[in-house]
Amino acid sequence: GDSVTQTEGLVTLTEGLPVMLNCTYQSTYSPFLFWYVQHLNEAPKLLLKSFTDNKRPEHQGFHATLHKSSSSFHLQKSSAQLSDSALYYCALSPNNRIFFGDGTQLVVKP
Amino acid sequence: AQTIHQWPVAEIKAVGSPLSLGCTIKGKSSPNLYWYWQATGGTLQQLFYSITVGQVESVVQLNLSASRPKDDQFILSTEKLLLSHSGFYLCAWMGGGYAEQFFGPGTRLTVL
C-alpha cells in the first residue's frame, strides 16, 4: 500500500542553523510528493510539490529533492528562521487519494 | 479563482448533541473533497473523501458520517457527539488526478 514515514516527531534547532526534515515513502505508483506547513491555529498550506523531471522545487528558502532510488523527499533549508517554527507534513498522491505522514514539529529557538 | 468555505468557524457543543459541519467550494467543478480531523496538538487524520456527488468513502469513521448532497458541498455530521470529537476539522479539495490539496480555514469544535 501507499504510505509516508516521517521519522522525527520533533526537531528543535537554533536560528541560523540548517534544517533537514526526513520523509520516505512507499507507493506502487510513481506519485507526486508534497510538503505542507501548518502554523499554529491555521490550516495546512502547500509548501512544495515534486516535479516529474529532475527540477528541484523551492519555496520560502525551502527545497526538496525527490530521490526515487531511495524513495525519499527530504525537506531542507540552509538557515532556519524563527518564523519557520511550525508543523510540517510530507504527503504523497498516487491518484485521487492523498496520504499524509504523521508530521514533524519544527521549533526554531533564538 | 477557487475558494473554499467552512461553517461554522467554531462551535461549542454538549456531549450527546448532534453536529453538522459544512464545506463549500466555489470556482471548481467536480472537485474531489476530503474531511480531516486534528486533535489539539495532534496530527492530521483523514476521515472521508468524495470524488462525485452522492458518493462518499470512509477512511476512519470516528462515529461520524459524511455526505455530498451537491457538487460543491460536503457535510460532516453525527447524531451524538463524544468528548473525543473535540478538535479541528478541515475540509480540502483536490483538482483530480495527481494534484495537491487545498485546505479550507477549518472549524474548531469543543465538546463539553
Side-chain angles (χ1 to χ4, degrees):
Chain A
D2 299 282
S3 66
V4 175
T5 301
Q6 294 180 250
T7 52
E8 310 114 334
L10 173 66
V11 171
T12 303
L13 48 78
T14 303
E15 186 180 17
L17 290 181
V19 179
M20 181 162 167
L21 305 184
N22 291 320
C23 172
T24 56
Y25 66 93
Q26 283 188 313
S27 181
T28 53
Y29 303 91
S30 292
F32 277 109
L33 272 293
F34 309 91
W35 277 99
Y36 286 82
V37 58
Q38 185 180 23
H39 288 96
L40 192 63
N41 296 323
E42 294 182 6
K45 294 177 185 175
L46 181 68
L47 182 62
L48 292 173
K49 173 182 173 181
S50 66
F51 288 96
T52 54
D53 54 20
N54 291 326
K55 288 182 185 174
R56 188 180 78 169
E58 293 193 31
H59 187 59
Q60 298 178 0
F62 286 94
H63 62 268
T65 302
L66 180 61
H67 291 287
K68 293 183 179 179
S69 58
S70 58
S71 298
S72 67
F73 191 57
H74 305 319
L75 183 67
Q76 294 178 278
K77 187 175 183 181
S78 59
S79 176
Q81 297 176 300
L82 295 176
S83 58
D84 293 332
S85 293
L87 183 56
Y88 291 81
Y89 289 100
C90 183
L92 72 85
S93 178
N95 44 40
N96 286 314
R97 293 289 309 279
I98 187 165
F99 298 88
F100 284 87
D102 288 337
T104 297
Q105 184 71 48
L106 175 64
V107 176
V108 181
K109 296 183 175 180
Chain B
Q2 300 85 6
T3 57
I4 182 168
H5 300 280
Q6 288 188 243
W7 72 92
V9 172
E11 187 95 271
I12 299 175
K13 302 277 279 186
V15 170
S17 62
L19 174 77
S20 182
L21 303 181
C23 170
T24 297
I25 177 165
K26 297 299 181 188
K28 178 67 184 177
S29 64
S30 304
N32 296 346
L33 295 174
Y34 304 79
W35 276 113
Y36 292 86
W37 171 75
Q38 187 177 36
T40 302
T43 62
L44 283 176
Q45 179 86 62
Q46 192 172 113
L47 301 176
F48 301 94
Y49 67 96
S50 172
I51 296 173
T52 190
V53 174
Q55 290 187 10
V56 176
E57 300 295 330
S58 171
V59 179
V60 175
Q61 282 193 318
L62 299 181
N63 293 307
L64 297 166
S65 61
S67 64
R68 187 163 177 184
K70 299 178 186 178
D71 186 52
D72 64 352
Q73 198 173 80
F74 205 18
I75 306 295
L76 185 69
S77 60
T78 183
E79 292 185 3
K80 223 173 190 182
L81 278 167
L82 306 172
L83 283 174
S84 57
H85 285 136
S86 291
F88 196 34
Y89 288 84
L90 291 152
C91 181
W93 69 273
M94 180 192 281
Y98 301 78
E100 59 267 36
Q101 288 198 345
F102 298 94
F103 288 85
T107 294
R108 194 160 298 281
L109 174 67
T110 303
V111 182
L112 302 174

